[in-house]
Amino acid sequence: MTALEKATGDVVLKFEPFVLHVLCQELQDAQLLHSAAIDSGFRNSGITVGRGGKIVMAVRSTHCLEVPLTHKGKLMVSEEYIEFLIDIANRKMEEN
């Protein structure tokens, strides 16, 4: 709260989800891993094939959170709401 009170600009609480990049030898390997990731609840997962043929499977979670707290130095939310957001972010970290 002390840091927020001293803020002169915009402050955002941001939680970014788990991401795992796996370099795969064959497309079939990436597809198998992709299926496992999707079945495990990692719905934002995907496969990328680069120009040089590099195959990367990205396992991504959907547990993101981005909430503005101050705007131009003015606190826009209550301390109680910040504590609520921190609790949510901590739970998302545990789920990750």
Side-chain angles (χ1 to χ4, degrees):
M1 289 307 298
T2 302
L4 289 176
E5 291 168 2
K6 293 178 182 178
T8 58
D10 296 347
V11 176
V12 176
L13 173 68
K14 186 172 185 180
F15 175 84
E16 294 189 357
F18 166 81
V19 178
L20 172 68
H21 291 100
V22 181
L23 183 61
C24 299
Q25 228 172 3
E26 303 289 334
L27 183 57
Q28 295 83 357
D29 299 331
Q31 290 170 328
L32 182 62
L33 182 55
H34 182 259
S35 293
I38 296 296
D39 291 345
S40 298
F42 295 98
R43 297 181 304 241
N44 285 349
S45 299
I47 300 170
T48 303
V49 180
R51 290 183 187 167
K54 184 166 77 169
I55 303 165
V56 177
M57 176 26 210
V59 180
R60 293 188 192 104
S61 170
T62 58
H63 298 95
C64 60
L65 178 68
E66 187 169 353
V67 182
L69 302 177
T70 70
H71 179 65
K72 296 181 181 177
K74 181 181 178 200
L75 186 61
M76 304 302 290
V77 296
S78 68
E79 185 174 351
E80 180 182 8
Y81 186 66
I82 292 171
E83 291 171 3
F84 171 72
L85 291 174
I86 291 169
D87 183 55
I88 289 172
N90 286 336
R91 280 187 278 153
K92 288 179 180 289
M93 178 63 87
E94 288 176 17
E95 290 174 11
N96 262 333

